[in-house]
């Protein structure tokens, strides 16, 4: 167990972490993350569910079961708030909407992004694939991305996404949400996803963190198109949360934990180490992103890059590209375009500490 983590019994599907605020473990099969956390707040009138979990065959029954333990029927849910659009957090939304008809609360920024993705799905896929090809990505990964994209936009899969493009209440940075004794401040924390939100409760001093800060796993920060600088955004969002007095973090996966500021520093250190690993590899060598990804150390059960399956390679490439984009924006690395391909060359071998937004001369 890491320092600051609170041990909650793994057998308990539902735990009251604050008065009338419950953490519900929702299934997340075949994932090292184990399960995804939904949160449920009951103020007598309003009954709000935060994140729904995946749409697996038994998910709805699991939720019914857990809420049944606190004598709540799912039909009583009045509001559903989503921290970000990833399928492990929103997958069950369309089924719940059919069964319950709650109000949907969702990040304005992320809703607009999803709407654009749906409206221009062909362009979105084309841009992503072009960006990958320019960065040397192999055919196996390209085929996988096409397949996943088709699935995401298929009617059987996208019901939840569609609902999010037009939420009942759009949330922006600094908005307030009152539920019973709690008055949450919405904090926009882009990085893990472009319009990710956290909720901060200033009296009780806890943070519902979604996937922005997890106690054990480093939240994935990925780049899949030319535009954007998600790692820069992520660092800025870590800085933002550091400005709050957070006594406990209620994360989207794993256990509730206390040491928020220390965890933020661990996450910065992790990414700094990753940046330095990349600079070392691209020092005095012009390489494409795929080559750089293949030379990095990945925490997977394979002896070589070639044995890594396309899904893990895709994750690795996205993460590498996010770091390269950040390093280029901070002028630690040069981007060289040659014959329609993108190559990277480090300008410095090592950065001793992070200075975000600092433009080197
Ligand atoms: Zn997640």
């Amino acid at each position: 167990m890491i320092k600051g983590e609170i041990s909650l019994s793994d057998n308990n599907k539902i735990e009251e972490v604050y008065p009338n605020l419950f953490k519900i473990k929702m299934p997340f099969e075949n994932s090292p993350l184990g399960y995804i956390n939904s949160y449920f707040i009951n103020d007598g009138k309003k009954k709000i569910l935060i994140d729904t979990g995946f749409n697996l065959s038994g998910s709805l029954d699991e939720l019914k079961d857990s809420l049944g333990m606190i004598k709540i029927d799912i039909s009583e849910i009045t509001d559903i708030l989503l921290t970000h659009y990833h399928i492990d957090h929103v997958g069950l939304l369309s089924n719940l909407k059919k069964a319950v008809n709650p109000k949907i609360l969702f990040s304005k920024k992320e809703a607009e992004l999803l709407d654009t993705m749906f409206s221009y799905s062909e362009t979105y896929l084309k841009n992503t694939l072009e960006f990958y090809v320019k960065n040397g990505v192999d055919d196996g990964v390209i085929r996988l991305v096409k397949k996943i994209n088709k699935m995401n936009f298929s009617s059987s899969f996208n019901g939840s996404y569609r609902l999010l493009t037009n939420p009942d209440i759009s949330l922006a940075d600094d908005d307030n949400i009152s539920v019973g004794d709690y008055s949450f401040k919405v904090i926009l924390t882009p990085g893990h996803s472009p319009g990710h939100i956290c909720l901060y409760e200033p009296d009780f001093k806890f943070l519902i963190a979604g996937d922005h800060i997890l106690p054990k796993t480093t939240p994935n920060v990925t780049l899949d198109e030319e535009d954007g600088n998600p790692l820069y955004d992520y660092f800025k969002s870590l800085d933002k949360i550091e400005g709050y007095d957070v006594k406990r973090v209620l994360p989207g996966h794993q256990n509730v934990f206390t040491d928020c500021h220390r965890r933020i520093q661990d996450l910065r250190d992790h990414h700094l180490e990753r940046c330095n690993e990349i600079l070392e590899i691209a020092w005095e060598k012009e390489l494409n992103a795929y080559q750089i990804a293949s030379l990095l150390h990945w925490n997977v059960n394979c002896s070589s890059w070639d044995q890594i399956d396309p899904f893990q390679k895709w994750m690795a490439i996205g993460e590498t590209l996010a770091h390269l984009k950040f390093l280029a924006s901070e002028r630690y690395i040069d981007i060289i375009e040659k014959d329609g391909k993108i190559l990277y060359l480090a300008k410095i071998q090592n950065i001793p500490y992070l200075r975000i937004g600092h433009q080197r001369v």
Side-chain angles (χ1 to χ4, degrees):
M1 198 192 308
I2 63 156
K3 192 169 176 281
E5 190 181 4
I6 293 166
S7 171
L8 296 173
S9 161
D10 273 359
N11 298 322
N12 291 343
K13 292 203 287 192
I14 181 159
E15 307 250 0
E16 191 170 19
V17 285
Y18 282 94
N20 298 316
L21 192 164
F22 300 85
K23 171 177 173 285
I24 305 172
K25 284 182 185 173
M26 293 294 289
F28 192 171
E29 282 161 10
N30 303 324
S31 165
L33 292 168
Y35 49 87
I36 154 149
N37 298 324
S38 292
Y39 293 92
F40 177 75
I41 308 170
N42 177 10
D43 76 357
K45 277 194 210 145
K46 216 187 260 182
K47 292 179 177 55
I48 179 165
L49 183 73
I50 300 171
D51 288 346
T52 68
F54 254 123
N55 185 21
L56 300 170
S57 56
S59 294
L60 197 59
D61 288 339
E62 282 281 331
L63 184 64
K64 283 181 186 167
D65 224 48
S66 294
L67 290 177
M69 290 178 187
I70 55 165
K71 311 238 174 322
I72 299 285
D73 187 87
I74 59 155
S75 63
E76 296 177 59
I77 295 172
T78 57
D79 300 72
I80 299 181
L81 184 150
L82 296 314
T83 57
H84 62 297
Y85 81 93
H86 290 165
I87 202 68
D88 51 328
H89 296 258
V90 308
L92 203 55
L93 183 62
S94 77
N95 277 352
L96 279 169
K97 181 79 179 169
K98 282 178 214 149
V100 183
N101 201 26
K103 257 191 225 142
I104 296 174
L105 290 80
F106 188 53
S107 158
K108 184 173 188 287
K109 189 174 172 190
E110 202 125 303
E112 287 168 359
L113 170 101
L114 278 177
D115 194 36
T116 310
M117 270 163 71
F118 274 113
S119 307
Y120 304 100
S121 57
E122 290 298 316
T123 316
Y124 172 74
L125 177 64
K126 191 170 155 276
N127 289 347
T128 297
L129 294 179
E130 273 175 17
F131 180 59
Y132 281 163
V133 169
K134 272 196 209 169
N135 279 286
V137 174
D138 75 357
D139 289 345
V141 175
I142 298 277
R143 274 197 301 275
L144 175 82
V145 172
K146 282 183 184 164
K147 202 170 125 190
I148 289 178
N149 202 269
K150 210 170 154 190
M151 194 170 75
N152 280 348
F153 291 106
S154 72
S155 55
S156 62
F157 205 71
N158 71 17
S160 295
Y161 287 154
R162 290 260 177 215
L163 287 169
L164 294 176
T165 61
N166 190 20
D168 298 290
I169 299 176
S170 293
L171 301 173
D173 200 30
D174 240 8
D175 279 355
N176 273 296
I177 303 169
S178 288
V179 198
D181 290 340
Y182 305 110
S183 177
F184 293 103
K185 182 182 158 89
V186 174
I187 309 173
L188 189 64
T189 48
H192 176 67
S193 80
H196 188 288
I197 54 168
C198 292
L199 301 175
Y200 178 64
E201 213 303 320
D203 293 328
F204 291 84
K205 303 194 190 314
F206 67 84
L207 182 80
I208 296 181
D211 281 357
H212 181 48
I213 304 169
L214 300 173
K216 290 180 184 171
T217 306
T218 304
N220 176 255
V221 178
T222 190
L223 181 71
D224 63 1
E225 57 178 341
E226 204 104 41
D227 294 337
N229 191 349
L231 187 58
Y232 173 87
D233 295 340
Y234 186 66
F235 285 137
K236 284 286 182 199
S237 296
L238 288 179
D239 289 354
K240 208 167 171 184
I241 295 298
E242 202 172 35
Y244 290 88
D245 182 10
V246 178
K247 297 270 183 268
R248 288 173 98 193
V249 182
L250 281 50
H253 302 270
Q254 301 156 349
N255 287 341
V256 173
F257 64 103
T258 54
D259 224 337
C260 182
H261 286 202
R262 185 198 161 109
R263 185 62 187 141
I264 287 173
Q265 195 49 47
D266 286 350
L267 291 166
R268 285 197 193 106
D269 290 348
H270 164 87
H271 288 294
L272 177 64
E273 210 176 289
R274 203 38 137 192
C275 285
N276 279 327
E277 219 182 328
I278 289 173
L279 291 173
E280 186 71 42
I281 289 169
W283 179 244
E284 294 180 336
K285 272 191 271 343
E286 292 177 4
L287 298 170
N288 69 37
Y290 187 80
Q291 290 167 321
I292 293 170
S294 75
L295 294 167
L296 285 164
H297 168 260
W298 299 103
N299 216 354
V300 288
N301 249 349
C302 296
S303 54
S304 75
W305 173 258
D306 291 336
Q307 288 176 3
I308 298 178
D309 69 52
F311 183 80
Q312 284 175 319
K313 273 187 187 167
W314 179 44
M315 294 284 110
I317 289 157
E319 199 181 310
T320 306
L321 284 164
H323 284 81
L324 286 166
K325 183 66 179 273
F326 169 75
L327 287 166
S329 72
E330 299 293 311
R331 302 188 193 166
Y332 290 125
I333 211 157
D334 272 336
I335 295 180
I336 300 150
E337 299 233 25
K338 260 189 197 166
D339 309 322
K341 302 276 182 208
I342 301 173
L343 302 173
Y344 301 87
L345 179 67
K347 294 168 79 167
I348 184 170
Q349 210 169 350
N350 184 276
I351 40 178
Y353 54 89
L354 278 172
R355 276 199 284 172
I356 300 146
H358 163 67
Q359 301 290 309
R360 294 178 68 243
V361 182

